[in-house]
Amino acid sequence: MKKTKAALWEFLQGLGKTFMLPVALLAFCGIMLGVGSSLSSPAVLRNLSFLDNEPLQLAFTWMSNTGLVAFKFLPVLFAMAIPLGLAREDKGVAAFSGFVGFASMNLAVNFFLTTRGVDFEDKDQIAHYGIADVLGVQSIDTGLLGAVAVGVVVALLHKRYRTKQMPDALAFFGGLRFVPIVSALAMSAVGLLVPLVWPTLGGWIASVGKGIAHAGVFGPFFFGMGEVLLRPIGLHHILVALFRFTDAGGAGAVCGENVSGALNLFYAQLSCSTPSGAAHTATQFLSQGKMAAYLGGLPGAALAMYHCAKRAMRPEVKALLISGVVACVVGGVTEPLEFLFLFIAPWLYLIHAVLVGLGFLTAAVLGVYIGNTDGNVIDLLVFGVLQGTTTKWYLVPVIAAVWFAAYYFLFRWAITRFDLKTPGRDEEPAGPEAAEDTPADTTAPADAPKAELVAGKYDPVAILEALGGPANIHALDNCITRLRMTVGDAALLDDARLKKLGAIAVVRLDEHNVQVIIGPQVQSVKDALAKLTPVG
């Protein structure tokens, strides 16, 4: 039972991590779509007439069309990204098989509907089955859930059959070539079942979305709080994806097309000149709710930690806190600041989660209408300021200022009242230990491979030794800010050494699954470590 629980945990961790590749593309495409659509809108052209010329408008239209790539082909991107991320080897074949499986499933759905005599022009049947054009095929739009199902099944097939040996007469179809073949067969079979189960399953999801909608502003409150609470264990990506891309985040018609998911609705509205109430409601689950904490609250907490640090330590913690604030305000990445107090005072992190939820609630109550995903200053400028005053972007600085003050005084009080050991408040080591902070058993041996510092400060050789050495690493990956690893023995990790080498925190999920919070440079650190380990 314990092994099953650990395996399920590891799988969910890995699944959440695979979302990062398409989500990163979505962030870029969102900016392209936001800038292109706003600078070609009639409202902007009336105020900035110099933009109303053919070369510039063609460029803005090109930007909008480029931004639509992630929105138009989102399910197939996930169907490819999931097996790509879950595969340990031959990732290209896994991604290719994901596309084959997704296409095969939808062609099988089309076959089923056609043989059943479904009229693709009948509105009642379209509504009952959820029929839509998927990659040029009249199929059932299963959205993110269908893509995830395809990705997971294909990943399992890839793991099982990538070394499949065939008889001599069929040897050409063995090994890696067999993976897309078996994926096509398996997903074609699944496609025959989709029309039988999707109307019921889709109805359940729609009911969840309606229930959340009926919760009013408390729906965004619980969403925002839940995302923060799930962040330490890395499962927030699954919750966020559910709201961004399924009916749980809202559904409605935009420019005559039925769209589901908060982010899908928002992107559809950007390319549509007709206002949609569904799209306006959907942004309650997007970046506008985060801005109170991201642009105001967490920078306020950072300032409080700086003022509470010992004067002699302030120059040292200043760089750490500034880099965390920049990552939060500009990149929408909060872990570098959150993990500075999460493990020291979990109750303070719980209060932080409530305040983030209240940020979502406040934005919803005041009718702030700023979408996209990151909650950073780029979202504010591109999807708020550039879209005009109808977004009520001018309220965000006011809300952020209130949250800044609230976080600053709350954190300063908590740190001093309970003597929390936030950065710069630890006792300085005295004696010989202060001169040498590298324990004897974690010093890299003389014949260890040499590596250049990553981002000018991370030593991958020393980090690897602090992780228990190459033999202790059984699997290595990363998400936005953290290394995700399966290790032989989590007890071999030297937490203190890792923090001295630049890590923000170490999270032990169980005796084999651990996470090391690095920050925005985690991808480069992971790549350097991968070159030094057998799993790389």
Side-chain angles (χ1 to χ4, degrees):
M1 179 67 180
K2 193 174 182 180
K3 289 184 178 180
T4 302
K5 183 180 179 180
L8 177 61
W9 188 266
E10 182 180 355
F11 169 75
L12 290 176
Q13 290 279 326
L15 181 62
K17 176 263 302 180
T18 65
F19 291 176
M20 291 301 95
L21 189 59
V23 166
L25 177 63
L26 275 168
F28 168 77
C29 287
I31 294 173
M32 292 284 284
L33 183 58
V35 173
S37 62
S38 62
L39 295 183
S40 59
S41 67
V44 170
L45 294 180
R46 281 195 299 269
N47 296 324
L48 303 174
S49 57
F50 67 90
L51 295 177
D52 192 7
N53 63 78
E54 187 173 357
L56 283 178
Q57 289 305 307
L58 287 175
F60 297 146
T61 303
W62 169 80
M63 291 178 67
S64 298
N65 288 341
T66 302
L68 285 173
V69 63
F71 167 66
K72 292 292 186 183
F73 301 104
L74 186 64
V76 71
L77 294 177
F78 271 95
M80 297 173 68
I82 290 173
L84 172 68
L86 292 177
R88 298 286 173 81
E89 298 178 85
D90 302 310
K91 290 177 172 286
V93 175
F96 175 75
S97 301
F99 176 84
V100 172
F102 184 81
S104 299
M105 182 186 75
N106 283 285
L107 287 168
V109 170
N110 178 270
F111 166 79
F112 182 96
L113 296 177
T114 302
T115 55
R116 288 286 298 269
V118 172
D119 184 359
F120 294 119
E121 302 296 330
D122 186 278
K123 293 183 179 179
D124 292 335
Q125 292 186 326
I126 290 175
H128 174 71
Y129 286 107
I131 297 173
D133 185 293
V134 181
L135 296 180
V137 177
Q138 289 296 309
S139 180
I140 293 176
D141 183 11
T142 56
L144 176 70
L145 293 183
V148 170
V150 171
V152 170
V153 171
V154 170
L156 295 174
L157 293 174
H158 177 269
K159 182 178 180 180
R160 173 68 176 82
Y161 291 109
R162 70 180 186 82
T163 58
K164 175 71 174 177
Q165 296 183 4
M166 304 289 284
D168 289 347
L170 300 174
F172 175 78
F173 300 104
L176 293 177
R177 297 186 186 96
F178 188 67
V179 178
I181 294 173
V182 71
S183 298
L185 293 173
M187 296 317 302
S188 289
V190 171
L192 297 177
L193 300 176
V194 168
L196 301 177
V197 301
W198 183 254
T200 300
L201 181 59
W204 290 346
I205 299 172
S207 298
V208 171
K210 291 177 181 177
I212 294 171
H214 290 154
V217 294
F218 289 100
F221 168 78
F222 288 116
F223 167 77
M225 186 172 66
E227 181 184 354
V228 175
L229 293 177
L230 288 174
R231 191 174 292 144
I233 56 177
L235 296 183
H236 58 296
H237 300 307
I238 296 176
L239 172 70
V240 169
L242 184 67
F243 277 80
R244 287 178 182 174
F245 308 121
T246 74
D247 283 2
V254 182
C255 278
E257 292 188 12
N258 291 321
V259 183
S260 61
L263 192 59
N264 289 339
L265 281 163
F266 176 70
Y267 282 172
Q269 183 64 79
L270 282 179
S271 57
C272 177
S273 58
T274 304
S276 167
H280 192 286
T281 303
T283 61
Q284 295 178 359
F285 301 104
L286 298 176
S287 64
Q288 64 184 34
K290 300 177 180 179
M291 290 178 179
Y294 287 24
L295 302 184
L298 286 173
L303 183 61
M305 287 187 274
Y306 175 77
H307 284 160
C308 290
K310 297 175 181 178
R311 289 190 177 275
M313 296 292 291
R314 285 182 182 179
E316 182 177 331
V317 302
K318 185 177 182 180
L320 173 66
L321 294 172
I322 289 177
S323 65
V325 169
V326 171
C328 179
V329 173
V330 180
V333 178
T334 58
E335 284 95 334
L337 290 177
E338 290 172 334
F339 282 85
L340 294 178
F341 60 88
L342 166 62
F343 302 103
I344 298 171
W347 58 269
L348 192 57
Y349 187 84
L350 176 61
I351 294 174
H352 162 58
V354 173
L355 288 172
V356 171
L358 289 174
F360 275 83
L361 185 150
T362 302
V365 169
L366 296 178
V368 181
Y369 177 43
I370 302 173
N372 213 37
T373 61
D374 299 318
N376 54 32
V377 70
I378 298 175
D379 280 359
L380 174 62
L381 294 175
V382 174
F383 303 106
V385 177
L386 288 181
Q387 305 300 324
T389 56
T390 56
T391 62
K392 296 187 178 180
W393 62 265
Y394 48 84
L395 294 176
V396 171
V398 179
I399 301 171
V402 173
W403 257 247
F404 180 93
Y407 271 73
Y408 177 80
F409 290 111
L410 171 64
F411 272 71
R412 188 158 187 171
W413 170 81
I415 292 169
T416 54
R417 173 67 176 81
F418 299 101
D419 192 24
L420 302 179
K421 299 302 181 183
T422 49
R425 291 178 61 81
D426 290 322
E427 293 296 332
E428 283 296 289
E433 291 85 357
E436 179 57 65
D437 62 6
T438 304
D441 59 348
T442 59
T443 302
D447 60 348
K450 304 299 180 183
E452 296 181 359
L453 294 182
V454 175
K457 63 177 180 176
Y458 299 103
D459 184 345
V461 173
I463 290 175
L464 183 59
E465 291 302 317
L467 293 172
N472 196 40
I473 310 299
H474 294 180
L476 175 66
D477 220 316
N478 69 279
C479 65
I480 294 179
T481 59
R482 66 192 79 188
L483 293 171
R484 298 172 181 261
M485 293 171 290
T486 302
V487 298
D489 184 1
L492 295 179
L493 273 68
D494 187 338
D495 294 24
R497 177 70 175 148
L498 285 168
K499 290 179 181 179
K500 289 177 181 178
L501 291 169
I504 297 171
V506 179
V507 183
R508 286 175 169 82
L509 303 173
D510 54 42
E511 63 269 26
H512 297 296
N513 292 286
V514 297
Q515 298 175 356
V516 178
I517 315 304
I518 298 292
Q521 296 290 347
V522 67
Q523 181 68 56
S524 299
V525 175
K526 179 259 181 183
D527 291 341
L529 290 174
K531 296 177 181 178
L532 305 175
T533 63
V535 298

